[in-house]
């Protein structure tokens, strides 16, 4: 049957997130998937139910429920001093769909997108799906995985169309400075590029308040902002995201969205509007909880032999470097899984700059974090 498959889809690899080990190991602890373990706030769940009882069970506007777009507009203004009209917002099926829609709309075949590595694993594949070419820029552990705008500029050529920026960053947990973001924005203006900002961990910035790059671009000429309720509101299963962009882009993106899924489920959109309206109640406890977990995991990692780790600045991911003589990273990950029953992801899944690292998604409670590291530190590979 492969003869019917388009060439670019013939050799796809199994997802790094798809294997479930819980049936193999009854005491399994999963540091692999970035799915927060906490349940969505009850007022959001109640609004989902109430909206359906009230009869909101029909198609919504493909661009998105106006009430949700209005709440997003208010939040951008109040939280980031960004003025965006509801007409400049598209509601999407998650931040992942948002990224694909953007790439599909802006890329002509063969155009290039600069992607800092380590990166969220879907970026290069989505660029290729949209007939573009990913150009990988490798950040360095020694520089705390920060971006050097001068190095980015060296990669820009006549085929360059966009740059993807994700801060706070998955998988490294790094947070780019305002200075860096401003310099990237100036590059976008200088070379007439689009910066696609994957702004989905906005509340999880532990040492500085998050400021989106789109705040430097009041007319939305060079910057697009993706938001999502998956992480900031622990609503991963609701698949609710949004794009803020120039009206012309929103119009084209709505066309792609409408012809793919038509509209986001109404139940999710009404629930999302309630969540954003009550974000000052819902989000601060999440910030505090995951910050504590991150620092606990960081403290436990620092005590392990053969491990180098940066103090986490954002998200709920830690990206330690593990160097054990005579072992590959795959072998280390396998040893931890089979002997400690703890799942980690090889950093190579996040691009060439992830070689030699592992990603830890600190999405389990503090008791499980301690239990996981109690098991790991007993392994012979960390005693030598």
């Amino acid at each position: 049957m492969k003869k019917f498959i388009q060439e670019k889809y013939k050799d796809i690899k199994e997802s790094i997130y798809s294997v479930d080990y819980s049936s193999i190991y009854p005491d399994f602890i999963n540091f692999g998937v970035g799915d927060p373990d906490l349940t969505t706030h009850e007022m959001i769940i109640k609004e989902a139910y109430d909206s359906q009882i009230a009869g909101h069970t029909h198609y919504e506007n493909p661009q998105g429920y106006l009430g949700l777009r209005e709440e997003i507009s208010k939040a951008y203004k109040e939280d980031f001093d960004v003025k965006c009209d509801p007409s400049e917002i598209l509601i999407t099926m998650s931040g992942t769909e948002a990224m694909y829609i953007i790439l599909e709309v802006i890329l002509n075949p063969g155009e290039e997108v600069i992607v800092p590595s380590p990166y969220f694993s879907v970026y290069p594949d989505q660029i290729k799906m949209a007939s573009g070419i990913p150009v990988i820029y490798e950040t360095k552990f020694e520089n705390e995985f920060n971006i050097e705008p001068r190095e980015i500029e060296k990669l820009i050529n006549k085929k360059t169309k966009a740059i993807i920026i994700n801060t706070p960053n998955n998988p490294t947990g790094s947070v780019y400075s305002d200075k860096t973001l401003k310099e990237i924005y100036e590059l976008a203006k200088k070379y007439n590029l689009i910066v696609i900002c994957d702004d989905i961990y906005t509340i999880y910035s532990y040492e500085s308040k998050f400021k989106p790059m789109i705040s430097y671009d009041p007319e939305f000429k060079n910057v697009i902002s993706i938001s999502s309720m998956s992480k900031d509101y622990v609503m991963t299963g609701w698949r609710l995201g949004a794009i803020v962009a120039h009206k012309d882009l929103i119009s084209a993106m709505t066309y792609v969205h409408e012809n793919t899924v038509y509209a986001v489920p109404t139940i999710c959109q009404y629930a999302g509007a309630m969540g954003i309206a009550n974000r000052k109640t819902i989000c601060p406890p999440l910030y505090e909880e995951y910050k504590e977990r991150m620092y606990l995991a960081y403290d436990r990692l620092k005590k392990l032999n053969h491990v180098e780790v940066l103090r986490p600045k954002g998200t709920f991911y830690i990206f330690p470097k593990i160097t054990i003589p005579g072992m590959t990273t795959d072998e280390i990950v396998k040893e931890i899984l089979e002997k400690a029953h703890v799942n980690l992801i090889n950093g190579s899944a996040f691009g060439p700059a992830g070689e030699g690292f592992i990603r830890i998604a600190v999405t389990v409670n503090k008791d499980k974090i301690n239990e996981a590291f109690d098991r790991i530190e007993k392994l012979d590979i960390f005693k030598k």
Side-chain angles (χ1 to χ4, degrees):
M1 293 300 292
K2 281 199 170 184
K3 67 181 180 180
F4 295 110
I5 300 174
Q6 188 181 157
E7 285 298 323
K8 63 183 177 182
Y9 296 124
K10 279 187 177 177
D11 297 315
I12 56 174
K13 298 177 182 177
E14 183 179 44
S15 169
I16 59 173
Y17 309 109
S18 63
V19 182
D20 180 11
Y21 298 102
S22 59
S23 61
I24 302 173
Y25 307 113
D27 58 350
F28 178 65
I29 296 176
N30 193 2
F31 281 148
V33 182
D35 187 356
D37 61 324
L38 299 181
T39 302
T40 303
H41 198 285
E42 62 181 16
M43 75 169 68
I44 296 175
I45 297 172
K46 184 176 184 300
E47 175 61 20
Y49 175 82
D50 289 345
S51 72
Q52 303 308 284
I53 294 298
H56 300 295
T57 59
H58 304 280
Y59 290 129
E60 256 300 340
N61 182 334
Q63 190 174 337
Y65 165 48
L66 180 58
L68 176 54
R69 287 186 284 134
E70 287 175 339
E71 290 296 342
I72 292 172
S73 175
K74 290 176 189 175
Y76 266 82
K77 179 60 180 173
E78 291 175 9
D79 298 349
F80 310 130
D81 198 27
V82 172
K83 185 178 179 181
C84 58
D85 188 82
S87 64
E88 297 169 309
I89 299 170
L90 168 64
I91 306 303
T92 62
M93 292 284 288
S94 78
T96 303
E97 191 216 7
M99 179 64 75
Y100 176 71
I101 288 172
I102 291 166
L103 294 167
E104 178 65 27
V105 165
I106 70 170
L107 292 179
N108 294 301
E111 290 184 326
E112 297 179 353
V113 181
I114 297 172
V115 184
S117 171
Y119 46 66
F120 179 42
S121 54
V122 306
Y123 295 159
D125 289 337
Q126 288 194 334
I127 292 166
K128 293 173 187 175
M129 287 167 66
S131 299
I133 299 171
V135 175
I136 307 305
Y137 161 67
E138 296 188 37
T139 62
K140 294 180 171 56
F141 177 79
E142 297 75 19
N143 194 31
E144 298 188 347
F145 296 113
N146 284 314
I147 289 175
E148 292 288 349
R150 289 173 295 180
E151 297 301 312
I152 291 282
E153 187 169 17
K154 293 176 184 177
L155 299 176
I156 296 172
N157 59 56
K158 291 181 180 180
K159 293 184 178 180
T160 307
K161 190 65 166 288
I163 305 168
I164 293 178
I165 295 294
N166 171 220
T167 182
N169 181 265
N170 172 16
T172 67
S174 59
V175 176
Y176 305 146
S177 68
D178 286 348
K179 179 177 181 294
T180 295
L181 295 180
K182 285 178 182 176
E183 289 181 13
I184 296 294
Y185 170 60
E186 291 301 324
L187 285 179
K189 287 201 300 181
K190 179 179 177 180
Y191 294 99
N192 193 28
L193 306 176
I194 289 286
V195 183
I196 308 168
C197 295
D198 201 0
D199 297 332
I200 71 165
Y201 296 92
T202 65
I203 72 167
Y204 303 109
S205 183
Y206 304 127
E207 296 182 358
S208 58
K209 188 176 184 298
F210 174 79
K211 183 175 182 179
M213 189 190 294
I214 202 168
S215 62
Y216 307 132
D217 188 16
E219 297 182 11
F220 306 160
K221 289 183 176 180
N222 297 95
V223 182
I224 297 171
S225 177
I226 296 172
S227 64
S228 168
M229 300 194 73
S230 289
K231 317 299 184 177
D232 285 0
Y233 295 82
V234 295
M235 292 176 67
T236 51
W238 300 74
R239 313 313 296 138
L240 195 57
I243 300 170
V244 175
H246 190 280
K247 288 181 183 179
D248 292 346
L249 291 175
I250 291 293
S251 177
M253 292 171 193
T254 302
Y255 171 83
V256 174
H257 174 70
E258 182 176 357
N259 284 281
T260 306
V261 299
Y262 187 72
V264 174
T266 309
I267 186 172
C268 302
Q269 297 195 66
Y270 274 76
M274 172 64 75
I276 293 172
N278 291 277
R279 65 192 180 282
K280 292 179 182 177
T281 298
I282 294 169
C283 296
L286 299 175
Y287 165 88
E288 293 295 341
E289 176 65 23
Y290 286 103
K291 180 180 179 181
E292 289 178 12
R293 296 182 187 190
M294 287 285 279
Y295 289 147
L296 171 60
Y298 169 67
D299 288 339
R300 295 300 302 263
L301 280 163
K302 285 194 302 179
K303 297 175 183 177
L304 292 174
N305 293 327
H306 310 298
V307 173
E308 297 176 74
V309 61
L310 298 171
R311 180 178 172 83
K313 293 183 178 180
T315 71
F316 36 66
Y317 305 107
I318 297 183
F319 206 62
K321 184 177 184 179
I322 301 183
T323 308
I324 297 176
M327 292 187 75
T328 66
T329 306
D330 270 340
E331 290 170 339
I332 295 168
V333 169
K334 184 179 180 183
E335 178 97 351
I336 292 171
L337 174 63
E338 294 181 348
K339 294 187 177 179
H341 302 170
V342 176
N343 186 40
L344 310 166
I345 292 182
N346 189 330
S348 62
F350 307 98
E355 296 283 350
F357 296 82
I358 60 169
R359 192 191 76 167
I360 299 175
V362 192
T363 52
V364 299
N365 64 43
K366 290 187 277 289
D367 287 342
K368 285 190 176 181
I369 293 169
N370 279 321
E371 173 63 24
F373 282 105
D374 286 347
R375 297 181 202 171
I376 290 170
E377 69 182 9
K378 292 175 184 176
L379 298 178
D380 290 341
I381 58 174
F382 293 108
K383 290 181 179 179
K384 299 174 183 177

